[in-house]
Amino acid sequence: MSRYLTPTLAGLSPYTPGEQPQDQQYIKLNTNESPYPPSPAVTAAVNAAEVEKLRLYSDPACARLLKAAAEYHGLTPDEIMPGNGSDENLFFALRAFCDEAHPLACADVTYGCYSVWCNLMHIPSHIIPLEEDFSIDPARYHGLNKTIVIANPNAPTGLALSPSAIEGILQANPDNVVIVDEAYVDFGAGSCVPLIHRYKNLLVVQTFSKSRQLAGARLGLAMGDAELIADLNRVKFSLNPYNINRLTLLAGEASLRDKGYFEATRQKIMDTRAWTAKELEKRGFALTDSRANFLFARTDRMEGGALYRALKEKGILVRHFDSPRIAEYLRITIGTPEQMEALVRALDELLEG
Ligand SMILES: *Cc1c(COP(=O)(O)O)cnc(C)c1O
């Protein structure tokens, strides 16, 4: 760090993203991207004529994307805000609903960015440990008098709460915003979007990165009561009014309109997840009941960090968190069936004997 960095940031530890090797030599099961390409409708929408229009600013109101998203989710456009990835929307939400006097409550084992943003913005965090089996006990979130964020399904455990459990948390915290991060909800968990018209304190955040093949386009949606969305827009228009680029707006709209492709690809991921889980269980792995596009797995036959490194040497990248409670686990993104077969073969070679 330079001698000019503000001392208030000297102690900040930034988030470490999963590796993004720029050559193609790995089977990449480490950052929960889709193994499938975006819908052909996306490729058609992002065409040469649209590239020429990049000389013009994008629509700061994101009107066409919002119309498609509102139709898809059964909401009105003023109940939705697009973000440059759901990361940006989550950041806007923390900026809008937390400060030094309004802490953020979140789990000890969850998406790492929440605590990084708290440090960046000097928001105190109130850490609520997961249960022994990594589940969330909703009762621990009742009557907190704090802004709450819950990843549902949670990462990296993959475990999901039912919408009715989240509903109990909403009812027990009427004076606080409850942010539900549904990055993985399309892989078999229940969404809280249908609760939006009943709870003014609910903000649901979804992303196009995991189930819509658009991680590199950077797009997410925050959804909630129109007043909450207006609060997020207040932050957005105080920072970066053109936060979504022209090509991403078109890609997102095309993705939302191609329901068939979305349904087919998320079903393929769920089928491949079931196959992979069975193969790992046959080999003695312990797995959580993941409702996400990854498995969270451990084996007594090799320590987590060692298995991560051994797989990497065989050309397979998975994610290992050297963190309390989860250092024995690997988070393995669900790829194509062929990629998962290669993973199982590699495990057999590494663990035999
Ligand atoms: C991947 C992920 C995000 C970030 O998604 P982007 O839309 O790519 O910014 C947010 N929350 C969780 C839990 C995630 O796993």
Side-chain angles (χ1 to χ4, degrees):
M1 80 184 68
S2 82
R3 64 191 176 91
Y4 305 104
L5 181 70
T6 167
T8 56
L9 293 191
L12 184 67
S13 4
Y15 181 72
T16 310
E19 298 156 88
Q20 296 292 352
Q22 295 305 309
D23 46 40
Q24 294 293 309
Q25 64 176 329
Y26 288 103
I27 293 180
K28 198 168 171 309
L29 308 177
N30 69 329
T31 51
N32 300 341
E33 293 138 324
S34 176
Y36 302 109
S39 148
V42 169
T43 314
V46 182
N47 55 39
E50 295 298 337
V51 170
E52 281 185 22
K53 289 193 207 149
L54 284 175
R55 68 188 181 80
L56 300 171
Y57 278 110
S58 56
D59 174 13
C62 307
R64 289 187 48 169
L65 173 67
L66 283 185
K67 185 165 182 292
E71 286 169 14
Y72 182 87
H73 286 290
L75 299 170
T76 55
D78 63 352
E79 293 170 322
I80 309 178
M81 189 170 101
N84 192 308
S86 60
D87 280 343
E88 189 184 56
N89 273 334
L90 289 161
F91 178 88
F92 287 164
L94 265 53
R95 188 68 191 81
F97 307 121
C98 300
D99 63 20
E100 271 160 77
H102 298 89
L104 180 74
C106 63
D108 60 340
V109 178
T110 189
Y111 186 43
C113 283
Y114 307 146
S115 59
V116 174
W117 292 320
C118 283
N119 289 337
L120 178 60
M121 292 188 277
H122 306 294
I123 297 165
S125 49
H126 175 80
I127 304 297
I128 303 176
L130 299 180
E131 304 309 297
E132 198 56 41
D133 62 358
F134 295 140
S135 65
I136 287 177
D137 175 2
R140 289 196 191 232
Y141 288 77
H142 287 189
L144 281 182
N145 197 27
K146 295 177 174 67
T147 304
I148 295 169
V149 63
I150 297 176
N152 194 48
N154 196 12
T157 65
L159 296 176
L161 283 177
S162 67
S164 64
I166 304 251
E167 191 167 8
I169 295 172
L170 289 160
Q171 287 167 350
N173 295 279
D175 298 327
N176 298 97
V177 174
V178 178
I179 304 162
V180 183
D181 180 352
E182 294 191 338
Y184 301 105
V185 77
D186 296 322
F187 301 108
S191 174
C192 287
V193 169
L195 300 177
I196 284 174
H197 288 155
R198 306 225 306 275
Y199 297 95
K200 285 189 170 299
N201 58 334
L202 169 61
L203 188 74
V204 179
V205 176
Q206 293 191 357
T207 176
F208 287 62
S209 297
K210 314 285 163 59
S211 57
R212 292 185 177 276
Q213 303 91 20
L214 289 174
R218 312 303 303 128
L219 186 63
L221 299 175
M223 296 174 274
D225 184 79
E227 287 184 3
L228 291 187
I229 297 302
D231 295 340
L232 296 184
N233 272 299
R234 180 190 270 272
V235 179
K236 158 179 159 161
F237 282 93
S238 305
L239 177 74
N240 183 8
Y242 306 105
N243 61 333
I244 318 289
N245 74 72
R246 298 185 71 96
L247 300 181
T248 293
L249 286 173
L250 293 165
E253 185 188 350
S255 166
L256 285 166
R257 295 206 185 281
D258 190 351
K259 283 192 191 171
Y261 189 82
F262 169 71
E263 292 298 337
T265 46
R266 74 183 182 119
Q267 190 59 54
K268 273 200 270 192
I269 297 292
M270 288 189 281
D271 293 346
T272 309
R273 179 181 66 201
W275 180 86
T276 310
K278 213 188 290 163
E279 293 300 316
L280 293 185
E281 273 164 0
K282 273 190 220 162
R283 290 160 176 81
F285 278 79
L287 303 175
T288 59
D289 179 20
S290 173
R291 303 302 167 93
N293 66 338
F294 55 79
L295 292 171
F296 196 52
R298 60 178 293 275
T299 172
D300 292 334
R301 294 154 76 190
M302 203 185 285
E303 183 267 319
L307 187 52
Y308 155 79
R309 286 186 294 275
L311 283 169
K312 186 172 177 181
E313 254 169 49
K314 287 191 167 289
I316 300 177
L317 267 188
V318 299
R319 191 89 201 257
H320 173 251
F321 298 93
D322 200 3
S323 313
R325 298 186 72 179
I326 58 172
E328 284 303 309
Y329 282 81
L330 296 181
R331 193 195 67 188
I332 304 167
T333 304
I334 302 301
T336 62
E338 297 71 33
Q339 289 176 322
M340 303 325 278
E341 284 160 19
L343 168 80
V344 169
R345 275 198 306 276
L347 288 172
D348 282 341
E349 287 163 19
L350 290 170
L351 298 174
E352 84 187 8

